Amino acid sequence: MPSGRLALGLICLAAVALRLPMIWLRPPALLDDEVGYHKIAEGVAFRGEYAVHPGQPTCYRSPGLPLFLASMYRVVGRPSVAAAVAAQAMAAVALCLAVAALARRVGGERAALPAAALAAVHP
């Protein structure tokens, strides 16, 4: 269904467009929980340890986001909040596609686009 693919592509484009201001307009300093996630990701990426403070392993945070951030930091070669936010924006596109595929499988073609659109605008 070409029109369905075009609509899904436009929804994915909207998901990125809605998140781009986060890259440009976010404050330069890390806020609240971001500090802990950043420090753990930095430890994983560059010291090989899951720790907020060097030499003091932690289980305070779940591993998903720190491991995702650590992979971004390794790709860039240094801790980069902008790269992490950009990667999260791209993950939003993948989420839209996954939600559309799941909705199509569960509710048919009519459910796929509305589900993807809801995922696109979810903050």
Side-chain angles (χ1 to χ4, degrees):
M1 182 174 193
S3 63
R5 288 186 180 166
L6 176 63
L8 184 57
L10 291 173
I11 289 169
C12 290
L13 188 62
V16 171
L18 289 171
R19 286 159 178 83
L20 283 178
M22 291 298 297
I23 298 170
W24 295 312
L25 301 177
R26 83 175 303 320
L30 295 172
L31 307 169
D32 304 321
D33 288 347
E34 294 175 340
V35 174
Y37 286 115
H38 166 76
K39 287 184 178 187
I40 292 171
E42 196 173 23
V44 169
F46 302 110
R47 294 189 309 272
E49 61 182 3
Y50 196 88
V52 175
H53 304 289
Q56 297 177 3
T58 186
C59 63
Y60 185 66
R61 302 273 183 216
S62 59
L65 184 58
L67 294 177
F68 177 78
L69 294 174
S71 67
M72 292 303 100
Y73 294 171
R74 291 291 291 182
V75 166
V76 175
R78 61 180 175 77
S80 171
V81 174
V85 173
Q88 287 174 323
M90 294 304 109
V93 172
L95 176 67
C96 288
L97 295 172
V99 166
L102 180 63
R104 186 177 294 114
R105 186 173 185 146
V106 172
E109 195 64 39
R110 290 179 51 142
L113 292 178
L118 287 173
V121 298
H122 188 275

PDB file of all heavy atoms in Angstrom, residues 12 15-20 22-23 26 30 34 37-38 41 64-73 80-96 119-120 122-123:
ATOM      1  N   CYS A  12       6.880   9.437  10.603  1.00  0.00           N
ATOM      2  CA  CYS A  12       8.245   9.310  11.133  1.00  0.00           C
ATOM      3  C   CYS A  12       9.008  10.626  11.008  1.00  0.00           C
ATOM      4  O   CYS A  12       9.751  11.022  11.914  1.00  0.00           O
ATOM      5  CB  CYS A  12       8.992   8.190  10.419  1.00  0.00           C
ATOM      6  SG  CYS A  12       8.368   6.552  10.819  1.00  0.00           S
ATOM      7  N   ALA A  15       7.884  12.811  13.717  1.00  0.00           N
ATOM      8  CA  ALA A  15       8.477  12.412  15.001  1.00  0.00           C
ATOM      9  C   ALA A  15       9.846  13.045  15.177  1.00  0.00           C
ATOM     10  O   ALA A  15      10.191  13.529  16.264  1.00  0.00           O
ATOM     11  CB  ALA A  15       8.571  10.891  15.090  1.00  0.00           C
ATOM     12  N   VAL A  16      10.639  13.058  14.121  1.00  0.00           N
ATOM     13  CA  VAL A  16      11.969  13.684  14.193  1.00  0.00           C
ATOM     14  C   VAL A  16      11.827  15.197  14.326  1.00  0.00           C
ATOM     15  O   VAL A  16      12.485  15.825  15.159  1.00  0.00           O
ATOM     16  CB  VAL A  16      12.821  13.330  12.954  1.00  0.00           C
ATOM     17  CG1 VAL A  16      14.096  14.142  12.924  1.00  0.00           C
ATOM     18  CG2 VAL A  16      13.129  11.849  12.949  1.00  0.00           C
ATOM     19  N   ALA A  17      10.960  15.787  13.528  1.00  0.00           N
ATOM     20  CA  ALA A  17      10.785  17.243  13.547  1.00  0.00           C
ATOM     21  C   ALA A  17      10.335  17.740  14.917  1.00  0.00           C
ATOM     22  O   ALA A  17      10.756  18.806  15.367  1.00  0.00           O
ATOM     23  CB  ALA A  17       9.788  17.669  12.478  1.00  0.00           C
ATOM     24  N   LEU A  18       9.497  16.967  15.586  1.00  0.00           N
ATOM     25  CA  LEU A  18       9.041  17.362  16.920  1.00  0.00           C
ATOM     26  C   LEU A  18      10.160  17.276  17.960  1.00  0.00           C
ATOM     27  O   LEU A  18      10.108  17.953  18.980  1.00  0.00           O
ATOM     28  CB  LEU A  18       7.874  16.477  17.353  1.00  0.00           C
ATOM     29  CG  LEU A  18       6.560  16.710  16.628  1.00  0.00           C
ATOM     30  CD1 LEU A  18       5.549  15.631  16.982  1.00  0.00           C
ATOM     31  CD2 LEU A  18       6.009  18.087  16.958  1.00  0.00           C
ATOM     32  N   ARG A  19      11.158  16.442  17.684  1.00  0.00           N
ATOM     33  CA  ARG A  19      12.227  16.252  18.666  1.00  0.00           C
ATOM     34  C   ARG A  19      13.475  17.093  18.375  1.00  0.00           C
ATOM     35  O   ARG A  19      14.324  17.256  19.240  1.00  0.00           O
ATOM     36  CB  ARG A  19      12.576  14.775  18.745  1.00  0.00           C
ATOM     37  CG  ARG A  19      11.493  14.014  19.493  1.00  0.00           C
ATOM     38  CD  ARG A  19      11.497  12.539  19.195  1.00  0.00           C
ATOM     39  NE  ARG A  19      10.487  11.834  19.963  1.00  0.00           N
ATOM     40  CZ  ARG A  19       9.207  11.740  19.615  1.00  0.00           C
ATOM     41  NH1 ARG A  19       8.776  12.313  18.516  1.00  0.00           N
ATOM     42  NH2 ARG A  19       8.350  11.076  20.363  1.00  0.00           N
ATOM     43  N   LEU A  20      13.611  17.613  17.168  1.00  0.00           N
ATOM     44  CA  LEU A  20      14.784  18.423  16.830  1.00  0.00           C
ATOM     45  C   LEU A  20      14.975  19.634  17.744  1.00  0.00           C
ATOM     46  O   LEU A  20      16.106  19.932  18.121  1.00  0.00           O
ATOM     47  CB  LEU A  20      14.736  18.857  15.372  1.00  0.00           C
ATOM     48  CG  LEU A  20      15.120  17.790  14.361  1.00  0.00           C
ATOM     49  CD1 LEU A  20      14.980  18.334  12.947  1.00  0.00           C
ATOM     50  CD2 LEU A  20      16.514  17.277  14.594  1.00  0.00           C
ATOM     51  N   MET A  22      14.595  19.803  20.763  1.00  0.00           N
ATOM     52  CA  MET A  22      15.250  19.324  21.986  1.00  0.00           C
ATOM     53  C   MET A  22      16.771  19.343  21.849  1.00  0.00           C
ATOM     54  O   MET A  22      17.480  19.543  22.819  1.00  0.00           O
ATOM     55  CB  MET A  22      14.789  17.895  22.326  1.00  0.00           C
ATOM     56  CG  MET A  22      13.355  17.818  22.775  1.00  0.00           C
ATOM     57  SD  MET A  22      13.059  18.742  24.290  1.00  0.00           S
ATOM     58  CE  MET A  22      14.085  17.868  25.435  1.00  0.00           C
ATOM     59  N   ILE A  23      17.250  19.122  20.638  1.00  0.00           N
ATOM     60  CA  ILE A  23      18.688  19.138  20.412  1.00  0.00           C
ATOM     61  C   ILE A  23      19.213  20.564  20.479  1.00  0.00           C
ATOM     62  O   ILE A  23      20.223  20.844  21.112  1.00  0.00           O
ATOM     63  CB  ILE A  23      19.031  18.503  19.044  1.00  0.00           C
ATOM     64  CG1 ILE A  23      18.591  17.036  19.033  1.00  0.00           C
ATOM     65  CG2 ILE A  23      20.513  18.641  18.731  1.00  0.00           C
ATOM     66  CD1 ILE A  23      18.650  16.385  17.677  1.00  0.00           C
ATOM     67  N   ARG A  26      17.818  22.652  24.214  1.00  0.00           N
ATOM     68  CA  ARG A  26      17.999  22.125  25.575  1.00  0.00           C
ATOM     69  C   ARG A  26      19.103  22.892  26.282  1.00  0.00           C
ATOM     70  O   ARG A  26      20.044  23.350  25.653  1.00  0.00           O
ATOM     71  CB  ARG A  26      18.263  20.626  25.537  1.00  0.00           C
ATOM     72  CG  ARG A  26      19.682  20.222  25.283  1.00  0.00           C
ATOM     73  CD  ARG A  26      19.984  18.761  25.348  1.00  0.00           C
ATOM     74  NE  ARG A  26      19.755  17.882  26.428  1.00  0.00           N
ATOM     75  CZ  ARG A  26      19.916  18.060  27.722  1.00  0.00           C
ATOM     76  NH1 ARG A  26      20.275  19.191  28.180  1.00  0.00           N
ATOM     77  NH2 ARG A  26      19.711  17.129  28.596  1.00  0.00           N
ATOM     78  N   LEU A  30      23.317  19.354  32.516  1.00  0.00           N
ATOM     79  CA  LEU A  30      22.478  18.191  32.760  1.00  0.00           C
ATOM     80  C   LEU A  30      21.551  18.485  33.930  1.00  0.00           C
ATOM     81  O   LEU A  30      21.921  19.175  34.873  1.00  0.00           O
ATOM     82  CB  LEU A  30      23.342  16.969  33.066  1.00  0.00           C
ATOM     83  CG  LEU A  30      24.229  16.495  31.919  1.00  0.00           C
ATOM     84  CD1 LEU A  30      25.181  15.408  32.393  1.00  0.00           C
ATOM     85  CD2 LEU A  30      23.390  15.984  30.770  1.00  0.00           C
ATOM     86  N   GLU A  34      19.480  13.099  34.850  1.00  0.00           N
ATOM     87  CA  GLU A  34      20.417  13.024  33.728  1.00  0.00           C
ATOM     88  C   GLU A  34      21.868  12.905  34.210  1.00  0.00           C
ATOM     89  O   GLU A  34      22.671  12.228  33.572  1.00  0.00           O
ATOM     90  CB  GLU A  34      20.294  14.265  32.846  1.00  0.00           C
ATOM     91  CG  GLU A  34      18.975  14.388  32.125  1.00  0.00           C
ATOM     92  CD  GLU A  34      18.847  15.694  31.372  1.00  0.00           C
ATOM     93  OE1 GLU A  34      19.565  16.661  31.669  1.00  0.00           O
ATOM     94  OE2 GLU A  34      18.000  15.750  30.467  1.00  0.00           O
ATOM     95  N   TYR A  37      22.622   9.191  35.073  1.00  0.00           N
ATOM     96  CA  TYR A  37      22.688   8.382  33.851  1.00  0.00           C
ATOM     97  C   TYR A  37      23.958   8.697  33.058  1.00  0.00           C
ATOM     98  O   TYR A  37      24.615   7.797  32.542  1.00  0.00           O
ATOM     99  CB  TYR A  37      21.451   8.616  32.976  1.00  0.00           C
ATOM    100  CG  TYR A  37      20.206   7.966  33.503  1.00  0.00           C
ATOM    101  CD1 TYR A  37      19.128   8.727  33.924  1.00  0.00           C
ATOM    102  CD2 TYR A  37      20.089   6.584  33.577  1.00  0.00           C
ATOM    103  CE1 TYR A  37      17.968   8.130  34.405  1.00  0.00           C
ATOM    104  CE2 TYR A  37      18.953   5.976  34.055  1.00  0.00           C
ATOM    105  CZ  TYR A  37      17.896   6.752  34.472  1.00  0.00           C
ATOM    106  OH  TYR A  37      16.754   6.158  34.943  1.00  0.00           O
ATOM    107  N   HIS A  38      24.288   9.965  32.973  1.00  0.00           N
ATOM    108  CA  HIS A  38      25.495  10.383  32.250  1.00  0.00           C
ATOM    109  C   HIS A  38      26.755   9.807  32.900  1.00  0.00           C
ATOM    110  O   HIS A  38      27.630   9.276  32.210  1.00  0.00           O
ATOM    111  CB  HIS A  38      25.559  11.913  32.207  1.00  0.00           C
ATOM    112  CG  HIS A  38      26.891  12.447  31.800  1.00  0.00           C
ATOM    113  ND1 HIS A  38      27.333  12.438  30.497  1.00  0.00           N
ATOM    114  CD2 HIS A  38      27.889  12.989  32.536  1.00  0.00           C
ATOM    115  CE1 HIS A  38      28.554  12.956  30.447  1.00  0.00           C
ATOM    116  NE2 HIS A  38      28.902  13.306  31.667  1.00  0.00           N
ATOM    117  N   ALA A  41      26.948   6.076  32.246  1.00  0.00           N
ATOM    118  CA  ALA A  41      27.275   5.839  30.834  1.00  0.00           C
ATOM    119  C   ALA A  41      28.739   6.142  30.554  1.00  0.00           C
ATOM    120  O   ALA A  41      29.415   5.394  29.840  1.00  0.00           O
ATOM    121  CB  ALA A  41      26.386   6.697  29.937  1.00  0.00           C
ATOM    122  N   GLY A  64      19.260   0.071  30.897  1.00  0.00           N
ATOM    123  CA  GLY A  64      18.903   0.399  29.518  1.00  0.00           C
ATOM    124  C   GLY A  64      19.458   1.718  29.018  1.00  0.00           C
ATOM    125  O   GLY A  64      20.225   1.759  28.045  1.00  0.00           O
ATOM    126  N   LEU A  65      19.085   2.817  29.636  1.00  0.00           N
ATOM    127  CA  LEU A  65      19.530   4.131  29.170  1.00  0.00           C
ATOM    128  C   LEU A  65      21.035   4.330  29.321  1.00  0.00           C
ATOM    129  O   LEU A  65      21.682   4.812  28.385  1.00  0.00           O
ATOM    130  CB  LEU A  65      18.763   5.250  29.867  1.00  0.00           C
ATOM    131  CG  LEU A  65      19.088   6.668  29.392  1.00  0.00           C
ATOM    132  CD1 LEU A  65      18.840   6.820  27.891  1.00  0.00           C
ATOM    133  CD2 LEU A  65      18.282   7.687  30.175  1.00  0.00           C
ATOM    134  N   PRO A  66      21.652   3.957  30.447  1.00  0.00           N
ATOM    135  CA  PRO A  66      23.109   4.125  30.520  1.00  0.00           C
ATOM    136  C   PRO A  66      23.870   3.353  29.438  1.00  0.00           C
ATOM    137  O   PRO A  66      24.847   3.861  28.890  1.00  0.00           O
ATOM    138  CB  PRO A  66      23.467   3.602  31.916  1.00  0.00           C
ATOM    139  CG  PRO A  66      22.241   3.824  32.715  1.00  0.00           C
ATOM    140  CD  PRO A  66      21.108   3.573  31.761  1.00  0.00           C
ATOM    141  N   LEU A  67      23.419   2.142  29.110  1.00  0.00           N
ATOM    142  CA  LEU A  67      24.099   1.376  28.063  1.00  0.00           C
ATOM    143  C   LEU A  67      23.887   2.011  26.691  1.00  0.00           C
ATOM    144  O   LEU A  67      24.803   2.046  25.864  1.00  0.00           O
ATOM    145  CB  LEU A  67      23.635  -0.077  28.070  1.00  0.00           C
ATOM    146  CG  LEU A  67      24.011  -0.872  29.317  1.00  0.00           C
ATOM    147  CD1 LEU A  67      23.433  -2.278  29.254  1.00  0.00           C
ATOM    148  CD2 LEU A  67      25.510  -0.907  29.513  1.00  0.00           C
ATOM    149  N   PHE A  68      22.688   2.529  26.451  1.00  0.00           N
ATOM    150  CA  PHE A  68      22.410   3.244  25.200  1.00  0.00           C
ATOM    151  C   PHE A  68      23.306   4.479  25.095  1.00  0.00           C
ATOM    152  O   PHE A  68      23.935   4.721  24.071  1.00  0.00           O
ATOM    153  CB  PHE A  68      20.930   3.636  25.160  1.00  0.00           C
ATOM    154  CG  PHE A  68      20.548   4.447  23.951  1.00  0.00           C
ATOM    155  CD1 PHE A  68      20.352   3.829  22.723  1.00  0.00           C
ATOM    156  CD2 PHE A  68      20.362   5.813  24.039  1.00  0.00           C
ATOM    157  CE1 PHE A  68      19.988   4.569  21.610  1.00  0.00           C
ATOM    158  CE2 PHE A  68      19.989   6.558  22.939  1.00  0.00           C
ATOM    159  CZ  PHE A  68      19.805   5.930  21.719  1.00  0.00           C
ATOM    160  N   LEU A  69      23.373   5.256  26.177  1.00  0.00           N
ATOM    161  CA  LEU A  69      24.218   6.447  26.180  1.00  0.00           C
ATOM    162  C   LEU A  69      25.692   6.083  26.023  1.00  0.00           C
ATOM    163  O   LEU A  69      26.422   6.762  25.296  1.00  0.00           O
ATOM    164  CB  LEU A  69      24.011   7.236  27.474  1.00  0.00           C
ATOM    165  CG  LEU A  69      22.638   7.868  27.670  1.00  0.00           C
ATOM    166  CD1 LEU A  69      22.535   8.489  29.050  1.00  0.00           C
ATOM    167  CD2 LEU A  69      22.347   8.881  26.591  1.00  0.00           C
ATOM    168  N   ALA A  70      26.121   5.026  26.687  1.00  0.00           N
ATOM    169  CA  ALA A  70      27.519   4.608  26.580  1.00  0.00           C
ATOM    170  C   ALA A  70      27.868   4.264  25.137  1.00  0.00           C
ATOM    171  O   ALA A  70      28.959   4.594  24.665  1.00  0.00           O
ATOM    172  CB  ALA A  70      27.786   3.410  27.495  1.00  0.00           C
ATOM    173  N   SER A  71      26.948   3.614  24.436  1.00  0.00           N
ATOM    174  CA  SER A  71      27.228   3.287  23.029  1.00  0.00           C
ATOM    175  C   SER A  71      27.358   4.560  22.200  1.00  0.00           C
ATOM    176  O   SER A  71      28.214   4.647  21.320  1.00  0.00           O
ATOM    177  CB  SER A  71      26.158   2.356  22.466  1.00  0.00           C
ATOM    178  OG  SER A  71      24.909   3.012  22.378  1.00  0.00           O
ATOM    179  N   MET A  72      26.528   5.569  22.492  1.00  0.00           N
ATOM    180  CA  MET A  72      26.638   6.851  21.769  1.00  0.00           C
ATOM    181  C   MET A  72      27.965   7.531  22.094  1.00  0.00           C
ATOM    182  O   MET A  72      28.625   8.071  21.214  1.00  0.00           O
ATOM    183  CB  MET A  72      25.492   7.795  22.136  1.00  0.00           C
ATOM    184  CG  MET A  72      24.140   7.363  21.655  1.00  0.00           C
ATOM    185  SD  MET A  72      24.066   7.135  19.867  1.00  0.00           S
ATOM    186  CE  MET A  72      24.221   5.376  19.728  1.00  0.00           C
ATOM    187  N   TYR A  73      28.360   7.506  23.350  1.00  0.00           N
ATOM    188  CA  TYR A  73      29.610   8.133  23.753  1.00  0.00           C
ATOM    189  C   TYR A  73      30.801   7.448  23.086  1.00  0.00           C
ATOM    190  O   TYR A  73      31.758   8.098  22.693  1.00  0.00           O
ATOM    191  CB  TYR A  73      29.775   8.103  25.269  1.00  0.00           C
ATOM    192  CG  TYR A  73      28.767   8.937  26.037  1.00  0.00           C
ATOM    193  CD1 TYR A  73      28.683   8.853  27.415  1.00  0.00           C
ATOM    194  CD2 TYR A  73      27.888   9.815  25.400  1.00  0.00           C
ATOM    195  CE1 TYR A  73      27.781   9.611  28.136  1.00  0.00           C
ATOM    196  CE2 TYR A  73      26.976  10.573  26.107  1.00  0.00           C
ATOM    197  CZ  TYR A  73      26.929  10.466  27.477  1.00  0.00           C
ATOM    198  OH  TYR A  73      26.028  11.219  28.193  1.00  0.00           O
ATOM    199  N   SER A  80      28.873  13.129  24.904  1.00  0.00           N
ATOM    200  CA  SER A  80      28.232  14.171  24.099  1.00  0.00           C
ATOM    201  C   SER A  80      26.731  14.114  24.316  1.00  0.00           C
ATOM    202  O   SER A  80      26.065  13.187  23.847  1.00  0.00           O
ATOM    203  CB  SER A  80      28.556  13.983  22.624  1.00  0.00           C
ATOM    204  OG  SER A  80      27.773  14.859  21.843  1.00  0.00           O
ATOM    205  N   VAL A  81      26.213  15.093  25.022  1.00  0.00           N
ATOM    206  CA  VAL A  81      24.781  15.148  25.269  1.00  0.00           C
ATOM    207  C   VAL A  81      24.030  15.352  23.966  1.00  0.00           C
ATOM    208  O   VAL A  81      22.988  14.738  23.732  1.00  0.00           O
ATOM    209  CB  VAL A  81      24.463  16.262  26.291  1.00  0.00           C
ATOM    210  CG1 VAL A  81      22.965  16.429  26.461  1.00  0.00           C
ATOM    211  CG2 VAL A  81      25.122  15.958  27.627  1.00  0.00           C
ATOM    212  N   ALA A  82      24.555  16.177  23.080  1.00  0.00           N
ATOM    213  CA  ALA A  82      23.890  16.431  21.792  1.00  0.00           C
ATOM    214  C   ALA A  82      23.771  15.139  20.982  1.00  0.00           C
ATOM    215  O   ALA A  82      22.725  14.869  20.375  1.00  0.00           O
ATOM    216  CB  ALA A  82      24.642  17.493  21.007  1.00  0.00           C
ATOM    217  N   ALA A  83      24.836  14.333  20.967  1.00  0.00           N
ATOM    218  CA  ALA A  83      24.783  13.065  20.230  1.00  0.00           C
ATOM    219  C   ALA A  83      23.767  12.114  20.853  1.00  0.00           C
ATOM    220  O   ALA A  83      23.044  11.415  20.138  1.00  0.00           O
ATOM    221  CB  ALA A  83      26.162  12.414  20.210  1.00  0.00           C
ATOM    222  N   ALA A  84      23.695  12.097  22.171  1.00  0.00           N
ATOM    223  CA  ALA A  84      22.735  11.233  22.847  1.00  0.00           C
ATOM    224  C   ALA A  84      21.303  11.657  22.550  1.00  0.00           C
ATOM    225  O   ALA A  84      20.443  10.823  22.271  1.00  0.00           O
ATOM    226  CB  ALA A  84      22.992  11.241  24.353  1.00  0.00           C
ATOM    227  N   VAL A  85      21.043  12.954  22.577  1.00  0.00           N
ATOM    228  CA  VAL A  85      19.692  13.456  22.286  1.00  0.00           C
ATOM    229  C   VAL A  85      19.334  13.180  20.823  1.00  0.00           C
ATOM    230  O   VAL A  85      18.203  12.784  20.518  1.00  0.00           O
ATOM    231  CB  VAL A  85      19.582  14.960  22.623  1.00  0.00           C
ATOM    232  CG1 VAL A  85      18.251  15.530  22.170  1.00  0.00           C
ATOM    233  CG2 VAL A  85      19.764  15.176  24.118  1.00  0.00           C
ATOM    234  N   ALA A  86      20.283  13.357  19.924  1.00  0.00           N
ATOM    235  CA  ALA A  86      20.030  13.063  18.510  1.00  0.00           C
ATOM    236  C   ALA A  86      19.733  11.576  18.306  1.00  0.00           C
ATOM    237  O   ALA A  86      18.826  11.222  17.549  1.00  0.00           O
ATOM    238  CB  ALA A  86      21.230  13.492  17.665  1.00  0.00           C
ATOM    239  N   ALA A  87      20.480  10.726  18.988  1.00  0.00           N
ATOM    240  CA  ALA A  87      20.236   9.284  18.879  1.00  0.00           C
ATOM    241  C   ALA A  87      18.872   8.916  19.445  1.00  0.00           C
ATOM    242  O   ALA A  87      18.181   8.042  18.910  1.00  0.00           O
ATOM    243  CB  ALA A  87      21.338   8.515  19.596  1.00  0.00           C
ATOM    244  N   GLN A  88      18.463   9.583  20.504  1.00  0.00           N
ATOM    245  CA  GLN A  88      17.140   9.320  21.059  1.00  0.00           C
ATOM    246  C   GLN A  88      16.044   9.777  20.093  1.00  0.00           C
ATOM    247  O   GLN A  88      14.990   9.141  20.002  1.00  0.00           O
ATOM    248  CB  GLN A  88      16.989   9.999  22.417  1.00  0.00           C
ATOM    249  CG  GLN A  88      17.796   9.291  23.486  1.00  0.00           C
ATOM    250  CD  GLN A  88      17.787  10.017  24.815  1.00  0.00           C
ATOM    251  OE1 GLN A  88      17.812  11.247  24.856  1.00  0.00           O
ATOM    252  NE2 GLN A  88      17.742   9.269  25.890  1.00  0.00           N
ATOM    253  N   ALA A  89      16.284  10.844  19.358  1.00  0.00           N
ATOM    254  CA  ALA A  89      15.321  11.282  18.343  1.00  0.00           C
ATOM    255  C   ALA A  89      15.198  10.235  17.240  1.00  0.00           C
ATOM    256  O   ALA A  89      14.094   9.950  16.754  1.00  0.00           O
ATOM    257  CB  ALA A  89      15.740  12.628  17.758  1.00  0.00           C
ATOM    258  N   MET A  90      16.318   9.648  16.854  1.00  0.00           N
ATOM    259  CA  MET A  90      16.284   8.593  15.836  1.00  0.00           C
ATOM    260  C   MET A  90      15.597   7.337  16.386  1.00  0.00           C
ATOM    261  O   MET A  90      14.908   6.632  15.654  1.00  0.00           O
ATOM    262  CB  MET A  90      17.694   8.255  15.358  1.00  0.00           C
ATOM    263  CG  MET A  90      18.382   9.380  14.599  1.00  0.00           C
ATOM    264  SD  MET A  90      17.450   9.949  13.178  1.00  0.00           S
ATOM    265  CE  MET A  90      16.916  11.543  13.731  1.00  0.00           C
ATOM    266  N   ALA A  91      15.779   7.075  17.665  1.00  0.00           N
ATOM    267  CA  ALA A  91      15.097   5.939  18.283  1.00  0.00           C
ATOM    268  C   ALA A  91      13.586   6.145  18.252  1.00  0.00           C
ATOM    269  O   ALA A  91      12.823   5.170  18.178  1.00  0.00           O
ATOM    270  CB  ALA A  91      15.594   5.738  19.711  1.00  0.00           C
ATOM    271  N   ALA A  92      13.145   7.400  18.291  1.00  0.00           N
ATOM    272  CA  ALA A  92      11.710   7.695  18.208  1.00  0.00           C
ATOM    273  C   ALA A  92      11.151   7.255  16.859  1.00  0.00           C
ATOM    274  O   ALA A  92      10.016   6.776  16.780  1.00  0.00           O
ATOM    275  CB  ALA A  92      11.462   9.181  18.432  1.00  0.00           C
ATOM    276  N   VAL A  93      11.939   7.388  15.810  1.00  0.00           N
ATOM    277  CA  VAL A  93      11.511   6.927  14.484  1.00  0.00           C
ATOM    278  C   VAL A  93      11.376   5.400  14.492  1.00  0.00           C
ATOM    279  O   VAL A  93      10.384   4.852  14.002  1.00  0.00           O
ATOM    280  CB  VAL A  93      12.495   7.377  13.389  1.00  0.00           C
ATOM    281  CG1 VAL A  93      12.165   6.732  12.060  1.00  0.00           C
ATOM    282  CG2 VAL A  93      12.485   8.888  13.270  1.00  0.00           C
ATOM    283  N   ALA A  94      12.352   4.737  15.073  1.00  0.00           N
ATOM    284  CA  ALA A  94      12.285   3.280  15.164  1.00  0.00           C
ATOM    285  C   ALA A  94      11.065   2.850  15.981  1.00  0.00           C
ATOM    286  O   ALA A  94      10.401   1.859  15.655  1.00  0.00           O
ATOM    287  CB  ALA A  94      13.569   2.727  15.787  1.00  0.00           C
ATOM    288  N   LEU A  95      10.754   3.607  17.023  1.00  0.00           N
ATOM    289  CA  LEU A  95       9.579   3.299  17.832  1.00  0.00           C
ATOM    290  C   LEU A  95       8.298   3.437  17.009  1.00  0.00           C
ATOM    291  O   LEU A  95       7.415   2.583  17.099  1.00  0.00           O
ATOM    292  CB  LEU A  95       9.524   4.211  19.057  1.00  0.00           C
ATOM    293  CG  LEU A  95       8.276   4.044  19.927  1.00  0.00           C
ATOM    294  CD1 LEU A  95       8.284   2.672  20.593  1.00  0.00           C
ATOM    295  CD2 LEU A  95       8.183   5.140  20.950  1.00  0.00           C
ATOM    296  N   CYS A  96       8.202   4.488  16.206  1.00  0.00           N
ATOM    297  CA  CYS A  96       7.018   4.666  15.355  1.00  0.00           C
ATOM    298  C   CYS A  96       6.842   3.481  14.409  1.00  0.00           C
ATOM    299  O   CYS A  96       5.726   2.981  14.225  1.00  0.00           O
ATOM    300  CB  CYS A  96       7.122   5.955  14.548  1.00  0.00           C
ATOM    301  SG  CYS A  96       6.900   7.438  15.512  1.00  0.00           S
ATOM    302  N   ALA A 119       2.466   7.448  18.708  1.00  0.00           N
ATOM    303  CA  ALA A 119       3.858   7.267  19.150  1.00  0.00           C
ATOM    304  C   ALA A 119       4.714   8.441  18.730  1.00  0.00           C
ATOM    305  O   ALA A 119       5.624   8.847  19.469  1.00  0.00           O
ATOM    306  CB  ALA A 119       4.417   5.949  18.573  1.00  0.00           C
ATOM    307  N   ALA A 120       4.433   9.028  17.584  1.00  0.00           N
ATOM    308  CA  ALA A 120       5.239  10.147  17.081  1.00  0.00           C
ATOM    309  C   ALA A 120       5.104  11.384  17.956  1.00  0.00           C
ATOM    310  O   ALA A 120       6.065  12.119  18.146  1.00  0.00           O
ATOM    311  CB  ALA A 120       4.844  10.490  15.644  1.00  0.00           C
ATOM    312  N   HIS A 122       4.107  11.397  21.174  1.00  0.00           N
ATOM    313  CA  HIS A 122       4.319  11.134  22.603  1.00  0.00           C
ATOM    314  C   HIS A 122       5.645  11.738  23.029  1.00  0.00           C
ATOM    315  O   HIS A 122       6.674  11.541  22.391  1.00  0.00           O
ATOM    316  CB  HIS A 122       4.316   9.624  22.876  1.00  0.00           C
ATOM    317  CG  HIS A 122       4.336   9.307  24.327  1.00  0.00           C
ATOM    318  ND1 HIS A 122       5.503   9.243  25.048  1.00  0.00           N
ATOM    319  CD2 HIS A 122       3.332   9.059  25.200  1.00  0.00           C
ATOM    320  CE1 HIS A 122       5.218   8.956  26.302  1.00  0.00           C
ATOM    321  NE2 HIS A 122       3.910   8.833  26.410  1.00  0.00           N
ATOM    322  N   PRO A 123       5.656  12.509  24.112  1.00  0.00           N
ATOM    323  CA  PRO A 123       6.899  13.185  24.504  1.00  0.00           C
ATOM    324  C   PRO A 123       7.933  12.198  24.987  1.00  0.00           C
ATOM    325  O   PRO A 123       9.089  12.422  24.975  1.00  0.00           O
ATOM    326  CB  PRO A 123       6.473  14.122  25.619  1.00  0.00           C
ATOM    327  CG  PRO A 123       5.121  13.691  26.061  1.00  0.00           C
ATOM    328  CD  PRO A 123       4.554  12.836  24.998  1.00  0.00           C
TER     329      PRO A 123
END
